[in-house]
Amino acid sequence: MTAQQNFFALIKDDGGSCQIKRLRVNQSLQNELIEIFNTQRIRFEQGIDTEIAFNGDWKPDSNEIMTLDNLDESELMVNAINANASSFPDLDISNFSDEPIKALFSGFTENSQTTVLVQKFTSRQALSLAELPIIKMQTGNTFVKTTDTLFTIDNKLVAIIEADKTKFKSFHNARMVFELTDYYKEATDEDLNDLSLHTSLEITNLENFKGIADSQIRKMAHSIISSQVLDTYSVSDITTAASSFPDIRVSVNNGKIVLPEDKKELKEVMHFLLEDIYRGPLSGNEFLTNSKREL
């Protein structure tokens, strides 16, 4: 397995067009990189005993990992591992500005299953000699400027791909490599306009609502729209359920739920609508959950 483990870069432009290039290394460096990637794989998988299909609504606990199937970038990387490495053009890091690298990856196939180990790659890892002098030690304790083109690798994996399943822990990091927009969207101003017109809602000051709508509020607004919770449950259903949570201020005016103008209270109501609030069975205290899996 070791002798056949090659290294590649995933190139992706602003339009989402992807290309695979080979990271050509000598035998000594190849062996070292294999060891690094495999060590990172062990750390990535350590303590994980539960895989959860990602739906954009929560963050995993320390023993959990999120998964998505059939991602386009994953298919490209799996195919690269199974192809002839020499069929790919070589990576030229000096051309980084024109060919932005999004990931470095390696992998292997065992028992007919391909595994890909993926690191994210950012512009900070490409050490630009044009922007700053990079120095190295020379004989006699004298430092000189290097003219070599350099880059660094990351200290952890962002994902592991097994067949058509992509496993990751951080959505923020994974979206730097994979196109995940459809899985985690924020409501636009137009979406907020549409939400304000729903027959079950009253937004007293639409411009204020837009003004305080940070990234979290917009993500929750998108989830409220896409889940159709306001169509599934009546105002009466919602207020009846809210009566069990006295700390959540769900007010009604003229048969409509009034969204608070205070940001903190607004988030509490939106969390309630998304069923992110639960009551501890022993203490009776209210908590915000990070998981919406059914028991």
Side-chain angles (χ1 to χ4, degrees):
M1 180 182 73
T2 299
Q4 300 300 318
Q5 197 165 330
N6 296 296
F7 292 84
F8 302 90
L10 173 70
I11 315 293
K12 185 192 293 187
D13 62 25
D14 292 340
S17 178
C18 295
Q19 183 182 11
I20 303 295
K21 291 200 172 184
R22 182 184 182 185
L23 177 60
R24 188 181 292 274
V25 296
N26 62 29
Q27 187 65 51
S28 175
L29 178 57
Q30 182 189 46
N31 292 337
E32 187 171 351
L33 288 175
I34 289 172
E35 182 68 23
I36 290 172
F37 271 66
N38 287 339
T39 297
Q40 291 181 3
R41 178 192 184 188
I42 293 172
R43 291 174 182 167
F44 186 93
E45 295 177 333
Q46 190 170 19
I48 301 299
D49 57 24
T50 304
E51 296 182 0
I52 306 297
F54 178 70
N55 63 9
D57 288 332
W58 57 283
K59 297 179 181 179
D61 291 329
S62 59
N63 66 313
E64 299 171 332
I65 199 163
M66 297 178 285
T67 68
L68 281 172
D69 295 337
N70 301 312
L71 296 179
D72 291 341
E73 296 89 349
S74 296
E75 182 179 0
L76 287 174
M77 286 187 266
V78 168
N79 290 341
I81 297 302
N82 291 314
N84 185 340
S86 62
S87 66
F88 295 92
D90 291 343
L91 175 66
D92 180 4
I93 193 67
S94 66
N95 199 32
F96 175 78
S97 59
D98 295 325
E99 295 184 325
I101 304 168
K102 298 302 179 183
L104 300 177
F105 66 95
S106 184
F108 52 88
T109 297
E110 287 184 328
N111 300 323
S112 300
Q113 176 171 289
T114 300
T115 299
V116 186
L117 312 179
V118 187
Q119 291 185 354
K120 74 177 189 300
F121 190 96
T122 68
S123 59
R124 291 184 179 182
Q125 291 172 243
L127 305 180
S128 173
L129 302 181
E131 296 178 2
L132 73 162
I134 300 174
I135 61 176
K136 65 179 180 179
M137 175 71 82
Q138 201 173 48
T139 305
N141 293 331
T142 300
F143 290 93
V144 297
K145 178 180 178 180
T146 181
T147 58
D148 299 326
T149 301
L150 306 172
F151 70 93
T152 64
I153 64 172
D154 205 356
N155 62 0
K156 61 182 178 298
L157 299 182
V158 70
I160 291 179
I161 305 166
E162 293 180 348
D164 60 357
K165 178 184 292 186
T166 302
K167 306 177 182 182
F168 59 97
K169 297 179 178 180
S170 167
F171 171 82
H172 172 76
N173 289 331
R175 69 178 179 177
M176 298 174 69
V177 176
F178 306 96
E179 177 51 61
L180 302 180
T181 304
D182 289 341
Y183 296 94
Y184 211 63
K185 290 184 177 179
E186 294 183 5
T188 64
D189 281 353
E190 184 176 352
D191 293 328
L192 297 183
N193 288 338
D194 292 340
L195 184 63
S196 71
L197 298 175
H198 196 283
T199 56
S200 295
L201 284 185
E202 177 180 314
I203 298 177
T204 305
N205 187 328
L206 180 56
E207 292 308 312
N208 177 72
F209 178 58
K210 293 178 184 177
I212 65 173
D214 57 17
S215 179
Q216 183 185 17
I217 288 175
R218 289 177 180 268
K219 287 171 183 174
M220 288 193 290
H222 178 268
S223 294
I224 288 171
I225 294 169
S226 60
S227 67
Q228 298 182 321
V229 62
L230 296 174
D231 299 317
T232 304
Y233 301 101
S234 68
V235 172
S236 177
D237 292 332
I238 294 170
T239 54
T240 299
S243 65
S244 299
F245 296 86
D247 292 336
I248 307 299
R249 295 183 56 186
V250 178
S251 301
V252 176
N253 182 46
N254 294 325
K256 296 183 178 182
I257 296 170
V258 181
L259 291 187
E261 295 189 50
D262 177 79
K263 179 184 285 191
K264 180 176 181 294
E265 293 179 1
L266 173 62
K267 288 184 177 182
E268 290 174 350
V269 171
M270 296 181 81
H271 276 303
F272 173 77
L273 292 174
L274 291 170
E275 297 187 291
D276 293 337
I277 307 294
Y278 75 99
R279 186 180 297 280
L282 297 179
S283 67
N285 293 333
E286 295 171 10
F287 298 96
L288 180 64
T289 180
N290 72 341
S291 172
K292 292 169 65 175
R293 289 169 291 140
E294 296 183 4
L295 298 177

